[in-house]
Amino acid sequence: MDRWERWKQYAFVVEQLTGRELKRKYARSLLGVVWSLLHPLLSMGLLSLIFSHMFRRSIENYPIYYLTGYLVWQTFTLATSSSVTALADNRSLLLKVRFPLELFLLGKNAAAFVNLGWSFLAYLVMLLAFRVPVGLPILLWLPVGVCLFFFSLGLSLLLAAAFLFFGDIKHLYGVILTLWMYCSALFYPVEQLPAAMAQVVGANPLYQMIACLRGGVLEGRWPGPGELLAPALWAAAVFGAGLLAFRRLRPGILRRL
């Protein structure tokens, strides 16, 4: 019973942290959560205007092709980037409370996925607008979303801990994200890359998730066992590594808060 009550308290804390993060994100914004709908649509419109003619022979329905990848990328970057300084920014609160430090990072990631939920509404509207058939394979967003969540959370744990020991990780991660974005094939077809580069992109777990979703949404097909297994293994490995490293570094983290 004590354990059940403790988990209920943790769930309440995560709920409050998530709500606080969302309120902070849209503070002083007239449109508020509507930006979760507008941002991906504006990005889709701009990139489609630039690249759709360039790739029209190799990519059918380019706006949806791009938007599918963008939603995955946006959620990942929002979850992990906001987590880098999460512990340092809440130092005074963390020293006063007695709940797991991981909950702060869980709240950051939960807020990013709530944002994804709102953006998904705009995604569905775009599928209808571009007359993309919405079949059962769109349900792939559920297992892929779970993989993305645990992958992002595991990396968030690693980044937040690393930042307390090495403050430059924040700037280094910004550079890594730029390179990572170009290796995720958000706006270009992998088929047009040289073979060696295509292998690098193909090994990228974010691209594997994006490709799985594109196959389901744009081609109406279910992925093969390996297509969904690979991102699931990545998610399990990164989450396990992040959780293990965070718990082993906890004494040092507490000393540096």
Side-chain angles (χ1 to χ4, degrees), residues 47-147:
L47 270 293
S48 296
L49 184 65
I50 296 172
F51 293 111
S52 60
H53 293 290
M54 185 183 301
F55 299 127
R56 62 185 175 184
R57 293 184 178 180
S58 53
I59 299 177
E60 186 179 356
N61 232 322
Y62 183 85
I64 303 301
Y65 178 91
Y66 170 75
L67 188 58
T68 302
Y70 177 78
L71 290 185
V72 173
W73 178 254
Q74 179 194 42
T75 304
F76 170 74
T77 54
L78 180 60
T80 55
S81 297
S82 63
S83 296
V84 176
T85 61
L87 299 181
D89 292 343
N90 293 280
R91 179 180 287 108
S92 58
L93 181 58
L94 287 170
L95 294 174
K96 296 177 183 177
V97 298
R98 296 184 60 186
F99 54 76
L101 303 179
E102 294 91 334
L103 296 187
F104 272 87
L105 304 174
L106 185 56
K108 294 285 187 180
N109 280 257
F113 278 79
V114 170
N115 190 78
L116 173 62
W118 286 108
S119 299
F120 191 73
L121 296 178
Y123 182 75
L124 291 176
V125 171
M126 288 299 100
L127 291 180
L128 296 176
F130 286 94
R131 298 181 180 180
V132 176
V134 180
L136 285 178
I138 199 171
L139 295 177
L140 285 169
W141 273 96
L142 295 175
V144 171
V146 171
C147 292

Side-chain angles (χ1 to χ4, degrees), residues 122-202:
Y123 182 75
L124 291 176
V125 171
M126 288 299 100
L127 291 180
L128 296 176
F130 286 94
R131 298 181 180 180
V132 176
V134 180
L136 285 178
I138 199 171
L139 295 177
L140 285 169
W141 273 96
L142 295 175
V144 171
V146 171
C147 292
L148 180 61
F149 179 81
F150 283 101
F151 182 79
S152 301
L153 182 56
L155 188 57
S156 295
L157 291 165
L158 291 171
L159 289 169
F163 178 75
L164 293 174
F165 292 88
F166 181 60
D168 288 339
I169 195 72
K170 177 181 178 180
H171 305 288
L172 179 61
Y173 186 58
V175 175
I176 292 173
L177 277 179
T178 300
L179 297 174
W180 203 337
M181 180 188 71
Y182 286 108
C183 288
S184 297
L186 299 188
F187 49 83
Y188 62 83
V190 177
E191 294 76 17
Q192 293 187 7
L193 294 175
M197 190 61 192
Q199 289 183 345
V200 172
V201 173

